[in-house]
Amino acid sequence: MALDRQLEILAVCGVGMGSSLMLKMTAEDALRSLGVDARVENTDVSTARGMSPDVVIGQGMHTGEIADLAPVVITISDFLDKEGLEAQLRERLTEQGWLS
Amino acid sequence: MTARSEGAATGAAAPGAIVAAADGATAGDWRDAVRAAASALVAAGAAGEGYPEACVRVVEENGPYIVLTKGLALVHARPEEGGLAVGVGVTRLAAPVEFGHPDNDPVDLLLAFCTPDPDAHVGTLSGLARALSGGLADRLRAASGEDDLARILKEALPNA
């Protein structure tokens, strides 16, 4: 891939320890299928504001608040939809030149 | 960690996580539903008395994001709000309720969890995520009753 390091990916939710952990698992599965070398962390929206990942993933009610946090912000509605997230990741990472 | 409750919830002591189940819970709105789901953890001895209201506040303050997927909510609050042990509960509603989620309403199945610290639940919840991807919600919806709900949930969790 075009990036010479691990991608830093952040899964966010309101409390930062339940739903976002589920999302982290889904994202890890999707990234594995895509063959992307990435580190996925999960946290709450407030903590996320102090971080600078490559990609943020969360529900629209949260990603709207942190739209300028990362070059790629992905909005999902289903935390368990691996195929849907994989499709979004494929498209957005390719746009960035991080996935060929 | 010995918890066995009577009435609406069945609790089981386990080395990894306390499992609780409640079937046919009636809820007038999403707040009632969240309270019912979190109360199963209180009844099982995994969470303190204040936990259900803390779980309601999470949604009031952060929106209905806990509705993870169609029809399913993951009820929880921070450990300091009353998590006594790692606990996972399942509550099946008699009639579904609206959370105000743009895509995933209405909700008929609630999973609830609590944890005594920010890390103790990670293994259990990872197992739960894996089980949900593998069709756990459908298996819970098809359960024959409260004991069956508890059995199915327990089978899905590592160390429960």
Side-chain angles (χ1 to χ4, degrees), chain A residues 1 11 13 16 34 38 42 50 56 58 62-63 65 69 72-73 88 95:
Chain A
M1 58 191 279
C13 74
L34 291 170
N42 64 297
V56 175
H62 293 140
T63 53
E65 296 175 38
L69 199 71
V72 173
V73 176
Q88 287 207 67
E95 271 172 20

Side-chain angles (χ1 to χ4, degrees), chain A residues 12-22 25-26 29 44 59 61-62 76-81, chain B residues 58 62 64-65 67-69 74 76 78-79 101 103-104 113 115 121-122 125-126 128-130 132:
Chain A
V12 299
C13 74
V15 172
M17 46 179 296
S19 317
S20 58
L21 181 59
M22 296 278 182
M25 303 285 299
T26 304
D29 284 350
D44 64 280
Q59 291 213 14
M61 57 195 83
H62 293 140
I76 49 106
S77 63
D78 186 332
F79 280 71
L80 305 174
D81 177 15
Chain B
V58 163
N62 299 287
Y65 76 93
V67 188
L68 297 189
T69 188
L74 181 68
H76 62 288
R78 299 200 60 81
H101 192 282
D103 302 294
N104 297 336
F113 85 88
T115 176
H121 67 296
V122 172
L125 219 60
S126 299
L128 191 61
R130 229 169 268 123
L132 284 168

Side-chain angles (χ1 to χ4, degrees), chain A residues 32-92:
Chain A
R32 205 172 297 123
S33 296
L34 291 170
V36 174
D37 183 21
R39 192 163 62 96
V40 188
E41 282 185 81
N42 64 297
T43 190
D44 64 280
V45 177
S46 314
T47 308
R49 288 202 181 89
M51 302 170 86
S52 50
D54 300 305
V55 180
V56 175
I57 311 170
Q59 291 213 14
M61 57 195 83
H62 293 140
T63 53
E65 296 175 38
I66 50 173
D68 53 356
L69 199 71
V72 173
V73 176
I74 292 180
T75 299
I76 49 106
S77 63
D78 186 332
F79 280 71
L80 305 174
D81 177 15
K82 183 206 151 196
E83 284 74 23
L85 181 53
E86 188 180 324
Q88 287 207 67
L89 281 166
R90 181 184 293 114
E91 185 187 331
R92 303 293 304 281

Side-chain angles (χ1 to χ4, degrees), chain B residues 17-147:
Chain B
I18 294 175
V19 170
D23 193 20
T26 52
D29 59 18
W30 69 261
R31 284 183 175 81
D32 278 355
V34 167
R35 283 185 197 112
S39 294
L41 295 173
V42 177
E49 295 292 334
Y51 200 64
E53 287 312 314
C55 291
V56 170
R57 281 198 302 277
V58 163
V59 180
E60 287 173 346
E61 289 165 12
N62 299 287
Y65 76 93
I66 65 163
V67 188
L68 297 189
T69 188
K70 293 257 181 261
L72 179 102
L74 181 68
V75 171
H76 62 288
R78 299 200 60 81
E80 56 270 25
E81 305 280 5
L84 305 174
V86 176
V88 181
V90 54
T91 297
R92 189 161 61 172
L93 297 179
V97 296
E98 300 278 335
F99 270 71
H101 192 282
D103 302 294
N104 297 336
D105 273 344
V107 170
D108 64 330
L109 196 63
L110 297 97
L111 293 169
F113 85 88
C114 56
T115 176
D117 66 58
D119 298 314
H121 67 296
V122 172
T124 299
L125 219 60
S126 299
L128 191 61
R130 229 169 268 123
L132 284 168
S133 300
L136 175 64
D138 290 339
R139 292 200 295 282
L140 291 169
R141 287 192 173 97
S144 62
E146 204 161 276
D147 289 347

